[in-house]
Amino acid sequence: TDQAPLSHTLPFAGPQIVVSVYGPDFFGNDVVRGYGAVHVPFTPGRHTRTIAMFVPESTSRLQKFTSWFTGRRPEFTDPKVVAQGEGREVTRVRSQGFVTISFNVV
């Protein structure tokens, strides 16, 4: 029988690592470059996970211009938003590359 992956059938899929990447913009300000999250594997061994990163986007041209002009970009203030996804369905985001993480689970 076909079964959904374990992470989609359980309400709690285990601990996650939330990644926030920052870097300098054109003006030298430290700004968010991307957010992402991945579940920590349970099985022993070496595991590699690639995390699709994203950044929140301003919703209007005025907000985009103001963000560019002041060097302040939209950021999430609570990492739970990244991990749980609650509230993200109404937030405009843009894909922003990938981060690869290796786990050594004992």
Side-chain angles (χ1 to χ4, degrees):
T1 64
D2 291 332
Q3 291 183 340
L6 185 62
S7 62
H8 291 114
T9 58
L10 294 176
F12 175 73
Q16 294 184 64
I17 291 181
V18 174
V19 178
S20 301
V21 178
Y22 289 82
D25 67 1
F26 180 75
F27 301 107
N29 299 315
D30 202 24
V31 296
V32 67
R33 294 292 186 186
Y35 295 106
V38 66
H39 288 278
V40 177
F42 283 110
T43 57
R46 183 174 174 86
H47 305 274
T48 302
R49 299 288 186 265
T50 300
I51 306 169
M53 304 297 284
F54 61 90
V55 291
E57 277 209 327
S58 299
T59 55
S60 74
R61 288 185 184 183
L62 178 60
Q63 286 175 331
K64 286 179 184 180
F65 175 75
T66 303
S67 293
W68 176 84
F69 185 73
T70 63
R72 300 286 303 162
R73 294 184 181 182
E75 293 185 33
F76 292 121
T77 56
D78 187 355
K80 290 179 186 176
V81 173
V82 177
Q84 296 173 352
E86 292 178 14
R88 276 203 344 227
E89 66 276 359
V90 296
T91 305
R92 182 177 294 179
V93 296
R94 175 174 39 93
S95 294
Q96 191 70 14
F98 298 90
V99 169
T100 301
I101 294 182
S102 294
F103 297 93
N104 290 308
V105 180
V106 182

